[in-house]
Amino acid sequence: MTLCDWIVKTGPKEVAKLLNVDPSTVSLWRKGANIPHVKTMVKIVKTTKGKVTYRDIIEPFVKGKGQ
């Protein structure tokens, strides 16, 4: 599952609450404009129980930046 899929499924406000970040930050992740901090990536993987992996978080961002 991609980070964006998880955000949409869970809801941006709930994701922000779960990860203790601002909802605007979650919006930037969803749009691919920014990537979560490494410590936040760890929280994402733990919170999703591995349904969102580090690769799921990083790969779309790298591909988007390469285009």
Side-chain angles (χ1 to χ4, degrees):
M1 172 184 299
T2 67
L3 177 59
C4 184
D5 291 341
W6 179 62
I7 292 169
V8 170
K9 181 180 177 185
T10 305
K13 288 181 183 179
E14 182 64 19
V15 169
K17 184 177 171 182
L18 288 168
L19 301 174
N20 196 30
V21 298
D22 195 87
S24 64
T25 301
V26 175
S27 179
L28 290 172
W29 298 340
R30 199 180 62 137
K31 293 175 186 176
N34 205 348
I35 192 165
H37 187 277
V38 174
K39 289 181 181 181
T40 306
M41 285 187 207
V42 172
K43 285 183 183 179
I44 292 167
V45 173
K46 286 182 180 180
T47 301
T48 65
K49 297 181 176 146
K51 290 180 183 174
V52 178
T53 66
Y54 299 108
R55 184 177 185 156
D56 295 329
I57 298 167
I58 297 168
E59 196 169 73
F61 180 79
V62 172
K63 285 183 178 180
K65 288 292 189 179
Q67 295 177 349

